[in-house]
Amino acid sequence: LPRLLFLCPGVDPGRWRRGFARHMPELEFVPATAGEAETPPCDYALVWRPPAGALQDVPDLRAVFSLGAGVDDLLRRVRLPAGVPLVRLVDPALTELMVEYVVHWVIHHHRDFARYAAWQREERWRQVWPGQTSERRVGIMGLGELGGAAARAVAALGFDTAGWSRTPRRIPGVRSFHGPGELPSFLARTDILVCLLPLTAGTERLLDARALGLLPEGARLVNAGRGGVLVEEDLLDALESGRIAAATLDVFREEPLPPGHPFWRHPRVQVTPHVASLTNADTATAAIVANIRRLESGEALTHVVDVERGY
Ligand SMILES: NC(=O)c1ccc[n+]([C@@H]2O[C@H](COP(=O)([O-])OP(=O)(O)OC[C@H]3O[C@@H](n4cnc5c(N)ncnc54)[C@H](OP(=O)(O)O)[C@@H]3O)[C@@H](O)[C@H]2O)c1
């Protein structure tokens, strides 16, 4: 019988055990126990924030699954045994939450609803024409599972939508930009910038003073990718100068966002605590099981991470 090692310190295994029992009753669920001298042989591992160097000596591993969509932290912590694929989490429920988050904040910024929240506190009744949706230029960085779905949803609402990725992506209604060469023209045409990039050597500190300076005056930023993509001090400067009118940030260089960090109380920064999308054990186990079944019936796994590329 196949065995799955659950190596997610700090995550309650209960819901995961129930998820696997429901979707793959024949799978043996083995929670890793801290301090155990030797990890038992397992066919699969489900991991999140594992101790550094974990997995190196788990015998017979066939595949490692990440409990989340982003694998930057995992790749820093573990060296996978040679030839063992790492699979990231792709789950329609995860995508749905991210699409809601992006649509919510794009509309929030397009309509400048923060202004009315501020005016309410002053008992001020004032109406401002928000501008035409079809003329509001939204730019999504990263057009993968999450960014691609977000771009489709934003385009469906009628926004002038573009996306930027490493390689060209064809999405109906979404203008495609790609590679470093097309980044300046992508940024120059973007009023609301949504970042859904993974954190890799190629994206780290990509949103710096220079990149932010290429946006039109008064642009808005939504970062739900990874905190390390953004240079936080440069965003504070851009907010100060007015280049960026407002920002919504879900991810940060250091999480939880440290006490006293200027983002906490900044009047034009909305902080959400890494909740743009959250993994749900039941739907996630269904997605992981579908992939395990694929492997067991001799098919190729889907959503395998390219370790060299970093995503
Ligand atoms: N805040 C949250 O709650 C939350 C939740 C889940 C995930 N996330 C973050 O969202 C990220 C994206 O997830 P996903 O499932 O959409 O990933 P994905 O399917 O792997 O897509 C990644 C996208 O980024 C593009 N990209 C990667 N490196 C690039 C580079 N150097 N230059 C330009 N484009 C680049 C890729 O380009 P190609 O299309 O050319 O490959 C692809 O379009 C995750 O890595 C994670 O960090 C955040």
Side-chain angles (χ1 to χ4, degrees), residues 121-275:
R121 289 190 286 274
E122 299 165 15
E123 300 188 11
R124 194 157 151 202
W125 184 277
R126 224 188 116 190
Q127 299 162 335
V128 180
W129 163 245
Q132 203 143 326
T133 308
S134 60
E135 286 170 13
R136 184 73 70 194
R137 299 165 301 175
V138 179
I140 316 256
M141 304 182 92
L143 289 175
E145 286 299 322
L146 303 177
R152 274 186 286 273
V154 166
L157 288 169
F159 289 98
D160 179 356
T161 310
W164 182 74
S165 42
R166 204 174 47 82
T167 58
R169 288 273 171 167
R170 212 174 292 149
I171 301 176
V174 179
R175 188 166 158 209
S176 164
F177 292 82
H178 74 278
E182 291 185 8
L183 184 58
S185 40
F186 166 78
L187 293 171
R189 56 74 58 206
T190 293
D191 301 313
I192 302 176
L193 180 66
V194 178
C195 176
L196 282 172
L197 288 169
L199 180 59
T200 70
T203 65
E204 188 164 8
R205 297 175 69 86
L206 183 73
L207 291 177
D208 59 2
R210 224 183 113 232
L212 297 175
L214 291 168
L215 291 164
E217 191 74 24
R220 281 136 188 280
L221 170 70
V222 178
N223 187 16
R226 278 291 180 266
V229 176
L230 175 70
V231 180
E232 296 184 344
E233 302 75 32
D234 291 359
L235 173 61
L236 287 166
D237 290 346
L239 284 159
E240 187 64 38
S241 73
R243 169 69 53 184
I244 304 281
T248 303
L249 307 173
D250 189 56
V251 287
F252 304 90
R253 198 164 49 204
E254 191 186 338
E255 295 181 12
L257 187 63
H261 191 290
F263 287 156
W264 276 122
R265 286 169 189 274
H266 197 291
R268 285 179 289 130
V269 173
Q270 171 81 53
V271 168
T272 55
H274 204 138
V275 290

